[in-house]
Amino acid sequence: MGDYYKSDDLDKFATMGEEAPELWEKFMQYYGAVFAEGALSAREKALMALAVAHALQCPYCIDAYTRESLEKGADREQMTEAVHVAAAIRGGAALVHGVQMKNMINKLGF
Amino acid sequence: MATGLNMQPFLSGDSAEQLKLLRDQTGVQPFVDKLGENGLYPLRCNGISVLQVNLGKVCNMACKHCHVDAGPDRKESMSLEIVERCLQVLDGANIPVLDITGGAPELNPHLPLLIKEAVKMKRRVMVRTNLTVLEQDQNYHLVEYYAAHGVEVVASLPYYRESNTDRQRGRGAFIASLRVLRRLNSLGYGGEQGGLLLNLVYNPGGAFLPPAQQAIEAEFRRELQSRQGITFNQLLTITNVPVGRFLNFLWHSGNLENYLQRLAAVFNPAAAPRAMCRGMISVGWDGTLYDCDFNQMLGLACRNGQAGHPAHISSFNLEFLQQREVLLDNHCYACTAGSGSSCGGATADSCRTKK
Ligand code: SF4
Ligand code: SF4
């Protein structure tokens, strides 16, 4: 398990296309289109990706979208707020499942 | 790949040592090879339309990204004799633009004379200012002087918020800069078309590339206007060049090879022919001539004729210099990365790759 999440591995991302070039090509085209300037700015999209990366806790994506957010002109405050959005939604999602817990308690208990 | 922090001493003021460090990065293809591969080597000057004069390394600040390694302790400052030589060349060689830089140009006592005489010759004159120096008592009046002479002001403002700006330039820099920007606005700078020109300069706050110029310009405009009531004409994005204090930072933070690789990975062949060295000549505080301010800090002086001595403003050979071969090294990757970079901001459309 010690071989997981090495920084150098991010540079090898494209090797995922070696056995499936067409699928890779399609993914990359889609990926590029998603992050292009659109109704949302490229900076806003980078900050969203940064938040999602934290919610997913993907170290590759955290590294990549920290850099990308900086290179799209975001600063520490904006990036920290984005991570708090991820934390709030994750925390809220945990808490709101408490309602399910309560439903179950109510069903099982007196 | 960066291996962590480098504790070995490194003197950013020593140009030979800086060049060695730039060349020693084994994971980086030499810049001249990259140009060769793209059929772009050698790079030649294509006529001189800008005389960029560096009035010295003295500065009231000591910013982290500074390629000059300027600061309050520096002593290098252009003499009156060299200033007069610059004016003679500006006149004799009929160069239309005078671009004044430093250090803080305001800390050289001959700045007013240089401006006044160049304006008399009807040259376009721009001064690169850090803004905060114009808060000092002895320089306070220069804001009015710039306005009276129609000088274009190119002002560094790394970010539209305080913490980011102050992290790069020192505590209090942002607030002081805003005060000076308001004075410039009140004198007619940064307003409607046809008024006095005020352009701002964005620098990344570390070892990463600048955003697309148009996108960050829109952010700056909105934020500075709505939160501070400040207007400006254009925002220029400049890529941090791995020279001087910034090179020192890259080295000690273990970012150097990674940063050069990053610049090389987004090499944009369209930006190379638009490198600013192709249209300018840069004068050092002692009168030595260089392709640009970065080569100046690396001690890469232009030659005076095919195999001659370092070229000097006192023996300005226009015919040779305007078609000279530019001296290139690995720091040049900063001028060709992504959308390109120059003292006038981005130079080309981006061809940046993802992830
Ligand atoms: S970047 Fe400009 S203001 Fe900052 S230390 Fe260097 S010369 Fe001075
Ligand atoms: S660093 Fe100077 S010499 Fe090199 S490409 Fe840029 S402007 Fe030209």
Side-chain angles (χ1 to χ4, degrees):
Chain A
M1 295 294 279
D3 285 344
Y4 273 67
Y5 301 136
K6 289 188 286 187
S7 305
D8 299 15
D9 285 349
L10 184 53
D11 297 335
K12 300 176 194 152
F13 187 28
T15 62
M16 286 309 295
E18 285 169 1
E19 283 77 25
E22 283 174 24
L23 291 178
W24 175 256
E25 199 43 47
K26 284 190 168 129
F27 175 76
M28 286 316 281
Q29 268 177 9
Y30 172 73
Y31 198 101
V34 164
F35 281 98
E37 201 90 27
L40 291 170
S41 70
R43 185 183 62 96
E44 289 164 334
K45 288 181 181 181
L47 286 168
M48 289 167 76
L50 183 71
V52 174
H54 280 80
L56 294 175
Q57 293 175 342
C58 167
Y60 300 123
C61 301
I62 291 174
D63 277 13
Y65 282 95
T66 297
R67 177 190 290 279
E68 188 67 9
S69 297
L70 289 168
E71 293 193 344
K72 288 289 182 272
D75 72 349
R76 286 182 199 222
E77 275 100 326
Q78 293 168 358
M79 291 162 69
T80 306
E81 283 184 18
V83 174
H84 276 288
V85 170
I89 295 295
R90 280 203 78 139
L95 272 182
V96 76
H97 278 78
V99 178
Q100 183 69 16
M101 171 195 74
K102 289 197 174 204
N103 290 344
M104 198 64 182
I105 293 174
N106 291 342
K107 187 176 167 193
L108 297 177
F110 294 116
Chain B
M1 186 49 71
T3 51
L5 303 184
N6 290 305
M7 302 313 289
Q8 299 99 307
F10 163 64
L11 299 168
S12 56
D14 183 329
S15 46
E17 203 175 343
Q18 291 192 55
L19 274 174
K20 182 171 176 333
L21 208 51
L22 287 165
R23 290 170 184 165
D24 276 356
Q25 305 308 312
T26 47
V28 180
Q29 181 183 22
F31 183 73
V32 291
D33 293 357
K34 181 70 116 186
L35 279 194
E37 236 172 43
N38 286 273
L40 295 164
Y41 184 78
L43 211 57
R44 285 193 177 280
C45 181
N46 188 27
I48 297 172
S49 54
V50 178
L51 184 74
Q52 190 175 66
V53 176
N54 189 316
L55 284 180
K57 300 184 181 182
V58 189
C59 189
N60 58 317
M61 306 183 92
C63 307
K64 290 182 180 154
H65 69 285
C66 184
H67 69 274
V68 180
D69 209 6
D73 299 335
R74 301 302 297 248
K75 300 279 178 271
E76 302 91 332
S77 192
M78 191 175 275
S79 66
L80 178 60
E81 186 199 335
I82 302 290
V83 167
E84 283 171 345
R85 291 281 187 187
C86 290
L87 285 164
Q88 282 163 13
V89 166
L90 199 63
D91 192 20
N94 218 6
I95 301 174
V97 181
L98 174 66
D99 182 345
I100 307 171
T101 187
E106 291 89 346
L107 296 179
N108 182 302
H110 313 301
L111 173 69
L113 173 89
L114 181 59
I115 291 172
K116 188 175 73 183
E117 294 302 317
V119 167
K120 261 194 222 160
M121 293 175 205
K122 304 217 178 325
R123 297 298 185 259
R124 187 178 146 204
V125 179
M126 54 179 87
V127 172
R128 297 182 185 271
T129 181
N130 67 26
L131 295 171
T132 62
V133 72
L134 293 162
E135 286 248 292
Q136 295 181 339
D137 284 350
Q138 67 273 30
N139 306 313
Y140 200 83
H141 66 285
L142 285 172
V143 175
E144 281 77 19
Y145 193 86
Y146 291 162
H149 290 81
V151 169
E152 285 180 37
V153 172
V154 184
S156 300
L157 190 71
Y159 207 65
Y160 51 77
R161 257 205 297 270
E162 186 170 0
S163 60
N164 230 26
T165 300
D166 286 5
R167 196 172 288 119
Q168 192 163 336
R169 321 209 84 185
R171 193 176 303 166
F174 184 73
I175 298 292
S177 299
L178 294 187
R179 282 195 293 265
V180 177
L181 286 172
R182 289 198 186 95
R183 282 176 62 208
L184 285 161
N185 276 171
S186 72
L187 290 169
Y189 272 100
E192 298 302 308
Q193 242 187 337
L196 291 161
L197 275 181
L198 169 62
N199 293 332
L200 302 183
V201 175
Y202 164 95
N203 271 91
F208 54 91
L209 291 171
Q213 189 165 276
Q214 268 187 328
I216 191 78
E217 180 183 87
E219 292 279 321
F220 263 69
R221 208 178 287 292
R222 198 185 61 229
E223 294 287 323
L224 287 179
Q225 170 86 69
S226 66
R227 291 179 198 243
Q228 316 293 349
I230 286 169
T231 58
F232 62 94
N233 297 102
Q234 254 194 301
L235 180 79
L236 316 174
T237 55
I238 298 190
T239 302
N240 287 332
V241 181
V243 171
R245 198 174 292 129
F246 184 59
L247 177 60
N248 203 2
F249 158 77
L250 291 172
W251 172 241
H252 286 295
S253 60
N255 277 304
L256 178 55
E257 187 166 24
N258 244 330
Y259 185 67
L260 286 172
Q261 284 173 335
R262 175 86 181 126
L263 296 178
V266 294
F267 173 79
N268 183 354
R274 300 188 192 176
M276 62 186 175
C277 48
R278 299 202 66 216
M280 67 179 279
I281 192 93
S282 145
V283 192
W285 67 275
D286 62 356
T288 308
L289 300 178
Y290 303 87
D291 296 305
C292 68
D293 211 53
F294 309 114
N295 282 10
Q296 189 175 133
M297 302 314 148
L298 291 171
L300 296 171
C302 298
R303 297 286 118 184
N304 197 10
Q306 286 306 341
H309 303 294
H312 194 270
I313 192 78
S314 57
S315 52
F316 195 85
N317 182 346
L318 177 65
E319 209 169 317
F320 177 78
L321 290 169
Q322 68 186 358
Q323 45 186 325
R324 71 191 187 272
E325 183 181 327
V326 173
L327 301 176
L328 305 160
D329 220 300
N330 288 344
H331 64 296
C332 298
Y333 272 122
C335 294
T336 56
S339 307
S341 179
S342 72
C343 287
T347 56
D349 287 336
S350 180
C351 66
R352 217 181 283 172
T353 50
K354 287 272 146 198
K355 247 187 171 179

